[in-house]
Amino acid sequence: MKITCAKDQLNHAVQTVQKAVTAKAALPILSGIYISAQNNKLELQATDYEIGISCAIDAQIDIPGQIVLSCRYFQELVKKLPGETVEIASSAEDRTIKITAGTSQFNLLSLPAGEFPVLKPLFDKSAQENSLVIKDNLLRDLIKRTVFACATEESRPIFTGALLESTESDVRMVATNTHRLALKKSILETTNTNYNPLKIVIPSKVLNELARLLSSELPVDVNICWEKNRVAFRFENVYLESRIIEGQYPDYNRVIPPQFGTVAAINTALFMDAVERVSLMAKDGEYNVIKFQFNHDQVIITSNNPDVGKAYETVPVTTTGTEITIAFNAKYVTDILKNIGTPELHFSLNTPLSPASIKPVNDENYTYIITPVRTS
Amino acid sequence: MKITCAKDQLNHAVQTVQKAVTAKAALPILSGIYISAQNNKLELQATDYEIGISCAIDAQIDIPGQIVLSCRYFQELVKKLPGETVEIASSAEDRTIKITAGTSQFNLLSLPAGEFPVLKPLFDKSAQENSLVIKDNLLRDLIKRTVFACATEESRPIFTGALLESTESDVRMVATNTHRLALKKSILETTNTNYNPLKIVIPSKVLNELARLLSSELPVDVNICWEKNRVAFRFENVYLESRIIEGQYPDYNRVIPPQFGTVAAINTALFMDAVERVSLMAKDGEYNVIKFQFNHDQVIITSNNPDVGKAYETVPVTTTGTEITIAFNAKYVTDILKNIGTPELHFSLNTPLSPASIKPVNDENYTYIITPVRTS
């Protein structure tokens, strides 16, 4: 192999795919980045079998070929190389790869390219009945507003991922750890009738990496394609695939109360600041619990940690319906306040022991359900 | 106690003194911030016996008194309080302290103020023959350009601190881990003859905290005062004292070669980038060693890590004297390049096994000595 390419593009490609390299790779070959040169393209790949990413850039290919370089050293080096172009050439004598830029010359040991589990892109299959197109900013928004609600402990794997679901008119993402649930819908511009409905659960770790890569300045199309065990996303010069978490995702619609006896309209920023201060006195307490007393014109927020002290805050609200006192895990409240994205919210409740809802005002496409905590 | 003060000033004072609270305090009382109110001043203090810091701010004192609050909770709370003023009042009934700001009310448990080891400032003593005045920007510069050279392992405590020394005409700071040494002098504006010469070793941890606090926009005076076991610094509204590390500091002048057979003039930025890249291939190698071959018009920098690869870089230089090949610990070279502060430097050498010097061009007040590594 012998190629020349732009340093900035190579650096971008390395930074893109290196998110699929785990620090503690099970097999040595998975600690590497696979680099393939042919047809004026340099394609970089990395995978840990859960997530696989490839990124292709333009390059002058003098001799085509495939190599694998240690991700750790290659990415540090490419970041620091001088000048604007980089030359990469494999040596005929030994298994080193010569990397030249300006007056810098490096010979990196390579890993055996034949051992690398090269990605087999789903899009190359002729049958694409399982596919969907969505704008990258909409997909990023679906992820960012829900994925924080996933479970972090592995005891029930299905909840460590988020459900991605499509109907004829919208795409939805749902995440829950069984104590709280986030649901975000994105209405499709045109009704899609020519594909199969999508219903898969994707690991939260993969979704976080995907959201980070969906950062184009102008909206671009993301092609989504799936089969039984894996799902793939293609956008710009990036291909990302993920395993699908097996199992039955519960019917989230049953968790969402059809109506509420109390609805409080609250300023998001004031509420957020007050809840964060009150939670300071709850952090070490059992379950991080804080209490909310919804009166007609204010909500009184309190906490009491015998080892630290007490907090008492009031925030103006406009409450319709019954006054109610209820307790929540403070973190489950602040998590949604950080992601709600509107200056006003509706906090809707029924009884001190039934699920409540926090929603942006005037946005039916974002729902957050939170289970209260029983207090003495 | 009952006081009212400006929130921003209180926050600044808390952030200043909290650097003296260690995460794992040996005594529970040392996890607290001592707050004393009298004569229209609120003084905050913290200490871990190695470093003690106090900071005084203006306040309206309605009832004088002393309290101690948990640093962890108090500092988080003060940072997040709403509005512009804060009221702090001790309760007559229990040992809680009421903190009020806007509609926020907090009752923090207090620690027993009588147990706090209140600082006894050195400056309150009538005899001040052991004192010195220096501008804060000069002191900060002395620290920043030397303290990185201190030893980090505790096997020889004297080298975990830096020597602060004064003569009639200058103040110096010296730091070494026995493999490299940094010396920075600051010429005093006026000759000082009315005080005892200073020669003390201060823990590097304390010096780093001190440098962080010496951040005024316009230069201010720092009063330094010392006795047998401790040294104190007073500037603006801050008092900081430190224990002095006991023991004899070696004669650093004997380490500095009087002349050199080879002197290379090098561009700092080009040299720095090349050394950093070459050291990528040395990091896991034994001692992180890289080789420098000083020729008349270029220095060739190389490394060879059998597990990773090889690096080869050239940087233009103007060398006078004998050509020489020598090896150094890469970190000891990059450390000084980050701190040298001038676009050109002089790398001066004698033989492959004798100490070399790296200095800014045209600055006799900053010297860095580095011991080479023997290679096969």
Side-chain angles (χ1 to χ4, degrees):
Chain A
M1 185 171 107
K2 183 158 183 274
I3 68 103
T4 307
C5 67
K7 188 192 71 175
D8 289 348
Q9 284 190 38
L10 179 64
N11 188 37
H12 169 75
V14 172
Q15 300 309 325
T16 298
V17 304
Q18 59 103 2
K19 295 177 198 295
V21 180
T22 42
K24 294 161 280 181
L27 301 169
I29 194 71
L30 299 184
S31 68
I33 292 178
Y34 173 86
I35 304 172
S36 168
Q38 59 187 349
N39 305 329
N40 296 320
K41 286 281 179 192
L42 194 69
E43 191 196 352
L44 281 72
Q45 287 195 5
T47 180
D48 68 357
Y49 289 123
E50 173 156 291
I51 180 174
I53 309 179
S54 88
C55 182
I57 59 171
D58 293 329
Q60 176 195 316
I61 311 291
D62 295 323
I63 305 173
Q66 290 79 37
I67 59 171
V68 176
L69 290 173
S70 153
C71 173
R72 181 177 155 205
Y73 292 98
F74 186 55
Q75 65 116 337
E76 283 273 350
L77 178 60
V78 171
K79 214 188 314 184
K80 292 185 170 170
L81 281 177
E84 296 188 353
T85 59
V86 181
E87 192 185 296
I88 302 178
S90 52
S91 156
E93 301 102 57
D94 56 19
R95 60 180 192 95
T96 68
I97 307 299
K98 188 165 173 182
I99 298 168
T100 315
T103 56
S104 302
Q105 287 174 41
F106 289 80
N107 286 72
L108 277 186
L109 294 199
S110 64
L111 296 160
E115 291 180 11
F116 192 87
V118 179
L119 299 175
K120 294 174 191 67
L122 286 176
F123 295 92
D124 292 353
K125 298 193 175 180
S126 55
Q128 293 205 13
E129 68 272 20
N130 291 333
S131 74
L132 178 70
V133 177
I134 183 172
K135 292 290 178 201
D136 65 340
N137 55 336
L138 298 181
L139 179 57
R140 187 174 62 228
D141 200 45
L142 285 178
I143 297 171
K144 293 224 161 188
R145 292 190 195 266
T146 55
V147 73
F148 65 87
C150 287
T152 48
E153 80 282 1
E154 303 279 336
S155 60
R156 296 176 69 184
I158 195 86
F159 296 121
T160 63
L163 175 70
L164 179 64
E165 191 181 45
S166 72
T167 67
E168 284 195 1
S169 58
D170 65 34
V171 180
R172 302 160 182 211
M173 193 163 272
V174 184
T176 181
N177 69 353
T178 74
H179 304 296
R180 43 95 174 258
L181 176 144
L183 160 64
K184 173 74 184 161
K185 292 182 201 173
S186 190
I187 307 300
L188 291 172
E189 285 166 23
T190 52
T191 301
N192 289 277
T193 49
N194 59 339
Y195 62 84
N196 292 329
L198 168 67
K199 190 170 183 183
I200 56 174
V201 180
I202 304 169
S204 61
K205 186 191 139 210
V206 175
L207 290 170
N208 281 318
E209 296 302 350
L210 177 61
R212 256 186 281 259
L213 294 178
L214 295 172
S215 55
S216 67
E217 286 179 23
L218 295 173
V220 296
D221 281 343
V222 180
N223 287 276
I224 307 177
C225 186
W226 63 96
E227 55 178 33
K228 190 170 184 301
N229 297 317
R230 56 187 183 140
V231 56
F233 303 84
R234 174 160 272 166
F235 48 97
E236 298 186 295
N237 59 347
V238 177
Y239 169 87
L240 181 150
E241 69 170 47
S242 168
R243 77 172 172 95
I244 289 172
I245 300 180
E246 285 177 53
Q248 186 66 33
Y249 206 81
D251 179 7
Y252 58 87
N253 288 304
R254 288 178 47 198
V255 178
I256 303 170
Q259 70 238 347
F260 293 99
T262 306
V263 178
I266 318 179
N267 176 288
T268 305
L270 287 179
F271 191 48
M272 169 88 170
D273 289 349
V275 171
E276 285 206 324
R277 284 191 295 270
V278 172
S279 82
L280 286 179
M281 304 287 107
K283 269 190 184 145
D284 288 349
E286 226 173 315
Y287 303 118
N288 195 6
V289 172
I290 67 180
K291 227 178 228 181
F292 299 78
Q293 182 182 330
F294 286 93
N295 297 339
H296 278 294
D297 57 354
Q298 66 175 10
V299 53
I300 302 169
I301 313 166
T302 56
S303 64
N304 185 357
N305 179 339
D307 298 329
V308 181
K310 289 181 199 177
Y312 178 97
E313 295 265 357
T314 58
V315 175
V317 300
T318 308
T319 303
T320 54
T322 324
E323 298 193 342
I324 178 174
T325 299
I326 190 167
F328 293 104
N329 180 327
K331 181 172 165 21
Y332 293 167
V333 178
T334 53
D335 276 354
I336 179 62
L337 298 180
K338 283 176 198 158
N339 286 285
I340 204 159
T342 58
E344 295 282 326
L345 63 87
H346 278 157
F347 205 143
S348 306
L349 310 109
N350 280 317
T351 75
L353 296 180
S354 38
S357 140
I358 299 176
K359 284 172 81 81
V361 168
N362 297 328
D363 180 358
E364 285 311 304
N365 293 320
Y366 192 24
T367 303
Y368 186 78
I369 303 296
I370 175 173
T371 308
V373 179
R374 188 190 296 263
T375 59
S376 49
Chain B
M1 185 172 105
K2 184 158 184 272
I3 68 101
T4 306
C5 68
K7 187 192 71 175
D8 288 348
Q9 284 192 39
L10 180 63
N11 188 36
H12 169 76
V14 172
Q15 300 308 326
T16 299
V17 304
Q18 59 102 2
K19 295 174 197 300
V21 180
T22 43
K24 295 160 277 184
L27 299 168
I29 193 71
L30 298 184
S31 68
I33 292 178
Y34 174 85
I35 304 171
S36 167
Q38 59 185 350
N39 304 330
N40 297 320
K41 286 280 179 193
L42 194 69
E43 192 196 353
L44 282 72
Q45 287 194 4
T47 180
D48 68 357
Y49 288 123
E50 173 156 291
I51 180 173
I53 309 178
S54 88
C55 183
I57 59 171
D58 293 329
Q60 176 195 317
I61 311 291
D62 294 323
I63 305 172
Q66 291 79 35
I67 60 171
V68 176
L69 290 174
S70 154
C71 173
R72 180 177 156 205
Y73 292 99
F74 186 55
Q75 64 118 337
E76 282 272 354
L77 179 59
V78 170
K79 216 188 314 184
K80 293 186 171 171
L81 280 176
E84 297 189 349
T85 60
V86 180
E87 192 186 295
I88 303 176
S90 53
S91 155
E93 300 104 55
D94 55 20
R95 61 181 191 93
T96 68
I97 307 298
K98 188 166 174 182
I99 298 168
T100 315
T103 54
S104 302
Q105 286 176 41
F106 290 80
N107 286 73
L108 278 186
L109 293 198
S110 64
L111 296 160
E115 290 179 12
F116 191 88
V118 179
L119 299 174
K120 295 174 192 65
L122 286 175
F123 295 92
D124 292 351
K125 299 191 172 178
S126 54
Q128 293 205 13
E129 67 271 23
N130 290 334
S131 73
L132 177 70
V133 177
I134 184 172
K135 292 291 179 199
D136 65 338
N137 55 336
L138 298 181
L139 180 57
R140 187 175 60 230
D141 200 44
L142 286 178
I143 297 170
K144 293 223 159 189
R145 291 188 194 267
T146 57
V147 72
F148 64 86
C150 286
T152 47
E153 79 284 1
E154 303 278 334
S155 59
R156 296 175 70 184
I158 195 85
F159 296 121
T160 63
L163 175 71
L164 179 62
E165 189 180 47
S166 72
T167 68
E168 283 193 0
S169 58
D170 65 34
V171 180
R172 302 160 183 211
M173 193 162 273
V174 183
T176 181
N177 68 353
T178 75
H179 304 296
R180 45 90 174 262
L181 177 144
L183 160 63
K184 173 73 185 165
K185 292 181 200 174
S186 191
I187 309 298
L188 291 172
E189 284 166 23
T190 52
T191 302
N192 289 276
T193 50
N194 59 341
Y195 62 83
N196 293 329
L198 168 67
K199 190 171 183 182
I200 56 175
V201 180
I202 305 170
S204 61
K205 186 192 139 209
V206 175
L207 290 171
N208 281 319
E209 295 300 351
L210 177 60
R212 256 187 280 260
L213 294 177
L214 295 172
S215 55
S216 67
E217 286 179 22
L218 296 172
V220 298
D221 281 343
V222 180
N223 287 277
I224 308 177
C225 186
W226 64 96
E227 56 177 33
K228 190 170 180 306
N229 298 317
R230 56 187 183 138
V231 56
F233 302 83
R234 173 160 274 167
F235 49 97
E236 299 186 294
N237 60 348
V238 176
Y239 170 87
L240 180 150
E241 70 170 46
S242 167
R243 77 174 172 92
I244 290 171
I245 300 180
E246 285 177 55
Q248 186 68 34
Y249 204 81
D251 179 5
Y252 58 88
N253 288 303
R254 288 177 47 198
V255 178
I256 303 171
Q259 71 239 345
F260 293 98
T262 306
V263 177
I266 318 179
N267 176 287
T268 304
L270 288 180
F271 191 48
M272 169 88 171
D273 289 348
V275 171
E276 285 205 324
R277 283 191 295 269
V278 173
S279 81
L280 286 178
M281 304 288 108
K283 266 188 187 150
D284 287 349
E286 227 173 314
Y287 304 121
N288 194 5
V289 171
I290 67 180
K291 229 178 226 180
F292 299 79
Q293 182 182 332
F294 286 94
N295 298 337
H296 277 294
D297 57 355
Q298 67 175 12
V299 54
I300 301 169
I301 313 166
T302 56
S303 63
N304 185 357
N305 180 338
D307 299 327
V308 181
K310 288 181 197 177
Y312 178 98
E313 294 265 357
T314 58
V315 176
V317 301
T318 307
T319 302
T320 55
T322 325
E323 297 192 340
I324 179 174
T325 298
I326 191 167
F328 293 104
N329 180 327
K331 181 174 163 25
Y332 293 168
V333 178
T334 53
D335 277 354
I336 178 63
L337 298 180
K338 283 176 198 158
N339 286 284
I340 204 160
T342 58
E344 294 283 325
L345 63 86
H346 278 158
F347 204 144
S348 307
L349 311 109
N350 280 316
T351 74
L353 295 179
S354 39
S357 142
I358 298 175
K359 285 171 78 83
V361 168
N362 298 327
D363 180 358
E364 285 311 301
N365 294 320
Y366 191 24
T367 303
Y368 185 79
I369 303 297
I370 174 172
T371 308
V373 179
R374 186 189 298 261
T375 58
S376 48

